[in-house]
Amino acid sequence: MEYILIFISAIFVNNIVLSQFLGICPFLGVSKKIDTALGMSAAVAFVLTLSTIVTFLIQKYVLDAFGLEYLQTITFILVIAALVQMVEIILKKVSPSLYQALGVFLPLITTNCCVLGVAILVIQKDYDLLTGVVYAFSTALGFGLALTIFAGIREQLSMVNIPKGLQGTPITLITAGLLAMAFMGFSGVVKI
């Protein structure tokens, strides 16, 4: 039951982008097309889940064991950067079109604060490895859901007549705010 609550909470109630405001850069930058949003969601899900496993193990068996907790942030950043490079190499070989579509945003996963934020939150919340993985994967699904919905809305907005003063960034930020308010409706579903 605990895993189901974490799953629902991470996706809907405490959505990493819409509630905790982590990962805003790719949320705004890669959300112009649904295909690109889905690709970025998959890449973030892979990196987020894998980095949580690796950083958890490093934290428990290296940093905590040797009293090096103060190196947590820099260690986690290095691990995430290495994993993103690995994903970039794999995508270049497996799906060149997705690699081209993601463009500059793929290396930006390295600086995507939701990846680092989740790795640190798993340690701060004192989750065990399985709970941490469930939380990380659920958070990645929530990120992907928000990104894909937002991309769909932005595709629809590109086909309508928007007043000149609201075109571009203003309507994007207004839409993101409305989407965040819509997700606030889930706040009574799960009590954590």
Side-chain angles (χ1 to χ4, degrees), residues 23-180:
I24 296 292
C25 179
F27 179 70
L28 294 175
V30 187
S31 60
K32 291 181 182 166
K33 293 183 178 180
I34 291 178
D35 295 339
T36 310
L38 289 172
M40 178 60 115
S41 299
V44 167
F46 178 75
V47 170
L48 191 61
T49 306
L50 191 59
S51 67
T52 299
I53 294 169
V54 173
T55 55
F56 179 88
L57 295 173
I58 288 174
Q59 179 73 37
K60 294 298 179 193
Y61 297 110
V62 177
L63 299 179
D64 289 348
F66 295 106
L68 301 172
E69 295 87 0
Y70 60 92
L71 293 174
Q72 179 189 53
T73 304
I74 190 71
T75 304
F76 286 11
I77 290 171
L78 291 173
V79 167
I80 291 165
L83 289 173
V84 169
Q85 288 302 312
M86 184 179 76
V87 168
E88 190 172 0
I89 291 168
I90 291 169
L91 271 182
K92 197 178 221 181
K93 298 281 185 197
V94 174
S95 179
S97 60
L98 180 58
Y99 176 78
Q100 289 294 332
L102 291 175
V104 71
F105 294 103
L106 188 58
L108 284 179
I109 294 176
T110 305
T111 59
N112 186 345
C113 55
C114 79
V115 177
L116 178 62
V118 168
I120 291 173
L121 283 171
V122 165
I123 301 302
Q124 285 179 348
K125 293 181 180 206
D126 201 29
Y127 286 153
D128 59 32
L129 183 58
L130 181 59
T131 307
V133 170
V134 168
Y135 176 72
F137 185 70
S138 302
T139 300
L141 288 179
F143 176 83
L145 177 67
L147 185 63
T148 306
I149 291 172
F150 192 56
I153 293 170
R154 286 185 73 181
E155 279 186 2
Q156 294 296 314
L157 283 174
S158 68
M159 295 185 269
V160 297
N161 188 15
I162 297 171
K164 188 170 177 77
L166 291 177
Q167 292 177 356
T169 305
I171 195 67
T172 301
L173 294 176
I174 290 169
T175 305
L178 291 172
L179 186 59

